[in-house]
């Protein structure tokens, strides 16, 4: 089946630094990618939707200057958490849809801890 | 390591029939459990979740799920399926991290 690779799986960084998370579709072309965030004991929260070659669409309340999303190719989307703060510590997961537009495939997630 | 299995890749039911989608998980403790639905070309919508308490959980759109610790299962049910329920359904588990099952596609016959 289709595979989505997300990297890194875990990152610890200092407050004020930026962190980049990569999401790659390994064997299909991902026309749309979704980025989610999950707080402890809660469900996933959709942060943004990105279509290849165009700007991401952010959900209400998500700071687009804080969470930079780039979907420059059909196999790669990146989420950059800029000037990270402890409140940005969370679990981030990406998912992708291919040209068949039928099914989501999920990355394995990234646990971000900001000290 | 935790894992989630959904044994049925594709299920077809007639409209009005009952539905059960299976989900089994592997985790050392009791995890948080979720069911999501994905309509074609769209993102996820949360149907229901289990954190603790009553093991029978009610969700949106008439869905319910039952947590059975002895079977490590969290099966999703609906007594009467509607054509609009045709979608992809994902079971997810949160223990150490968030893990999704591979999904079950539901087709509904008129």
């Amino acid at each position: 089946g289709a595979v989505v690779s997300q990297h890194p799986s875990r990152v610890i960084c200092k407050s004020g630094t930026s962190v980049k998370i990569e999401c790659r579709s390994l064997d299909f072309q991902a026309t749309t990618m979704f980025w989610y965030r999950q707080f402890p004991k809660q469900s996933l929260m959709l942060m943004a939707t990105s279509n290849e070659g165009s700007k991401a669409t952010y959900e209400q309340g998500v700071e687009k200057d804080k969470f930079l999303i780039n979907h420059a190719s059909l196999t790669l989307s990146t989420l950059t958490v800029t000037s990270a703060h402890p409140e940005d510590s969370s679990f981030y997961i990406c998912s992708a849809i291919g040209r068949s537009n039928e099914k989501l495939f999920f990355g394995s997630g990234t646990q971000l801890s900001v000290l | 390591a935790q894992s989630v299995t959904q044994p049925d890749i594709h299920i077809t039911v007639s409209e009005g029939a009952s539905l059960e989608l299976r989900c089994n998980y592997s985790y050392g403790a009791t995890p948080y459990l979720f069911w999501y639905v994905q309509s074609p070309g769209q993102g996820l919508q949360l149907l229901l979740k289990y954190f603790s308490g009553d093991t029978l959980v009610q969700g949106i759109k008439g869905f319910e799920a039952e947590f059975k610790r002895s079977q490590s299962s969290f099966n999703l049910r609906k007594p009467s399926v509607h054509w609009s329920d045709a979608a992809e359904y994902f079971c997810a588990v949160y223990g150490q991290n968030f893990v999704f099952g591979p999904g079950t596609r539901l087709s509904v016959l008129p």
Side-chain angles (χ1 to χ4, degrees):
Chain A
V3 177
V4 173
S5 174
Q6 186 172 341
H7 179 79
S9 59
R10 192 172 295 270
V11 59
I12 301 172
C13 68
K14 292 183 178 180
S15 184
T17 61
S18 294
V19 175
K20 179 183 284 188
I21 302 170
E22 292 189 349
C23 184
R24 292 181 184 273
S25 57
L26 297 185
D27 53 0
F28 69 102
Q29 294 182 321
T31 52
T32 304
M33 285 193 174
F34 303 88
W35 285 94
Y36 301 88
R37 180 176 181 178
Q38 191 237 349
F39 294 97
K41 300 185 179 181
Q42 297 187 30
S43 182
L44 290 179
M45 180 191 79
L46 177 65
M47 299 175 66
T49 303
S50 72
N51 294 297
E52 184 264 339
S54 60
K55 290 184 178 181
T57 301
Y58 289 81
E59 296 299 304
Q60 191 173 9
V62 179
E63 301 174 62
K64 59 182 179 181
D65 295 331
K66 173 79 172 174
F67 300 99
L68 299 178
I69 292 173
N70 184 285
H71 191 171
S73 78
L74 284 170
T75 59
L76 174 65
S77 177
T78 60
L79 166 67
T80 302
V81 183
T82 62
S83 187
H85 288 93
E87 58 265 30
D88 299 324
S89 298
S90 189
F91 184 78
Y92 295 85
I93 192 167
C94 68
S95 64
I97 291 180
R99 291 191 184 280
S100 65
N101 218 25
E102 289 187 341
K103 182 171 180 173
L104 276 174
F105 297 95
F106 295 92
S108 54
T110 299
Q111 183 67 53
L112 171 64
S113 299
V114 184
L115 305 179
Chain B
Q2 62 190 78
S3 65
V4 182
T5 57
Q6 292 179 246
D8 305 304
I9 297 173
H10 188 191
I11 284 181
T12 301
V13 299
S14 297
E15 191 168 19
S18 63
L19 171 70
E20 182 169 38
L21 301 182
R22 295 183 291 167
C23 172
N24 293 94
Y25 68 90
S26 174
Y27 184 61
T30 299
Y32 301 128
L33 298 159
F34 305 83
W35 273 100
Y36 289 88
V37 61
Q38 182 222 345
S39 297
Q42 299 184 27
L44 294 174
Q45 180 180 23
L46 178 67
L47 286 176
L48 47 78
K49 60 182 183 285
Y50 171 79
F51 285 176
S52 65
D54 192 347
T55 56
L56 185 62
V57 180
Q58 302 298 321
I60 63 171
K61 303 184 179 185
F63 285 93
E64 66 177 26
E66 185 171 13
F67 169 57
K68 292 186 177 180
R69 185 190 308 273
S70 61
Q71 299 176 19
S72 297
S73 69
F74 189 55
N75 295 346
L76 181 71
R77 302 193 293 249
K78 186 169 184 177
S80 178
V81 171
H82 188 262
W83 64 267
S84 60
D85 293 326
E88 190 84 26
Y89 290 81
F90 293 94
C91 179
V93 167
Y94 178 66
Q96 292 178 320
N97 51 27
F98 217 98
V99 177
F100 281 89
T104 297
R105 180 185 300 179
L106 173 65
S107 297
V108 180
L109 299 176

